[in-house]
Amino acid sequence: MLDIIYQDDYLIAINKPHGLLVHRTAMASDAKEFALQLLRDQVGRKVSPVHRLDRKTGGLLLFAFDKENEIAMQKQFMEGQVKKKYLAVLRGYAPDSMDIDYPLMKDNGVMQDAFTSFITLKRAELDIPFGKHLTSRYSLVEASPTTGRMHQLRKHFAHIFYPIIGDRKHGCNKQNKFFKEQWEMTTMLLHASELNFVHPVSGMPIALKAAVQPEFGAVLEMMKFV
């Protein structure tokens, strides 16, 4: 059963587990379950996602029950009216805060503006040697992207040399292997924690929050971030 964070007559939001695809895609033919179908069967109504989360990203995923509100919410996302926050665990000691203004290229070669701000919430130094270092250092950050490009946070953190732990495509392969060997963890430590928007029907502000998934939470405890 999916964890439903919010539901009314028009919208429904879940806390998506890491590894679950939003919907069926030819790019991941190995997948047998999808958030779209699972949620539809769970609530007994047709649902449509109004935005996307990567397969490996956990957290808040918003759906609409009808086409009119699907379009209205997609418009809010596209126009940057939805305020989003993510939690991520990065390699190394990240700066206290930073604005990343770094354009990203689409698959068709077109460059798009991309903006991310983040603050570092906590840092950890583990007494576990890594490579030539006597200890291992990590940062827990809260990121606020103001654009919604594909893999934006993953690419932006890799660009500033503080990659997200567990990101196989854009991250640090040595760190990912280290986490798998040390703790049998393959989860990407990126979580969509908050969504703030105006309800398309009532016009009221909606503020949603979702707790991290258990595997993410175990890492936070191990690093004494919580």
Side-chain angles (χ1 to χ4, degrees):
M1 298 288 285
L2 294 170
D3 180 14
I4 296 175
I5 301 297
Y6 174 86
Q7 182 176 356
D8 61 24
D9 291 337
Y10 312 100
L11 303 172
I12 184 168
I14 65 168
N15 188 354
K16 185 183 84 68
H18 299 274
L20 181 65
L21 279 168
V22 175
H23 53 68
R24 195 180 304 274
T25 170
M27 296 175 64
S29 57
D30 62 309
K32 300 294 187 291
E33 291 186 322
F34 312 91
L36 178 65
Q37 284 82 4
L38 290 174
L39 184 59
R40 177 198 62 198
D41 294 345
Q42 185 170 325
V43 300
R45 294 180 64 183
K46 180 183 175 183
V47 294
S48 299
V50 300
H51 65 124
R52 299 288 185 268
L53 286 181
D54 293 344
R55 182 178 187 175
K56 293 192 71 179
T57 303
L60 283 166
L61 182 62
L62 185 64
F63 296 80
F65 284 123
D66 60 81
K67 195 67 178 178
E68 183 178 354
N69 287 295
E70 176 190 353
I71 293 171
M73 285 309 308
Q74 285 176 344
K75 186 171 184 288
Q76 283 196 46
F77 273 94
M78 286 188 293
E79 294 179 352
Q81 297 172 5
V82 179
K83 305 304 179 186
K84 300 168 286 185
K85 289 186 178 180
Y86 290 76
L87 295 175
V89 176
L90 311 182
R91 179 193 70 186
Y93 278 4
D96 289 343
S97 64
M98 190 174 184
D99 296 326
I100 307 172
D101 179 359
Y102 179 66
L104 299 174
M105 184 181 293
K106 294 177 66 176
D107 290 340
N108 61 7
V110 174
M111 296 298 293
Q112 293 180 304
D113 290 339
F115 304 93
T116 301
S117 298
F118 75 87
I119 57 172
T120 297
L121 302 175
K122 293 185 179 180
R123 298 182 179 90
E125 185 170 21
L126 305 183
D127 290 326
I128 302 174
F130 179 76
K132 62 182 180 180
H133 303 287
L134 298 177
T135 60
S136 303
R137 291 181 169 186
Y138 303 97
S139 299
L140 173 66
V141 302
E142 181 182 81
S144 301
T146 54
T147 50
R149 311 309 182 198
M150 181 175 287
H151 294 183
Q152 176 172 318
L153 294 179
R154 299 165 66 175
K155 292 177 179 177
H156 272 180
F157 285 123
H159 172 67
I160 63 170
F161 304 108
Y162 295 97
I164 298 172
I165 298 300
D167 184 353
R168 287 197 299 245
K169 186 170 184 179
H170 307 287
C172 173
N173 290 331
K174 290 182 180 179
Q175 278 287 349
N176 297 342
K177 182 180 178 183
F178 177 62
F179 267 71
K180 186 174 182 179
E181 292 174 348
Q182 195 78 24
W183 297 291
E184 298 183 350
M185 196 216 77
T186 58
T187 301
M188 184 173 70
L189 297 178
L190 179 62
H191 173 78
S193 57
E194 295 186 32
L195 282 178
N196 292 270
F197 58 91
V198 174
H199 195 284
V201 176
S202 70
M204 297 295 292
I206 303 293
L208 305 181
K209 293 185 178 182
V212 296
Q213 298 289 344
E215 55 268 45
F216 199 134
V219 173
L220 297 185
E221 290 183 13
M222 181 259 294
M223 293 187 178
K224 295 182 171 56
F225 285 147
V226 292

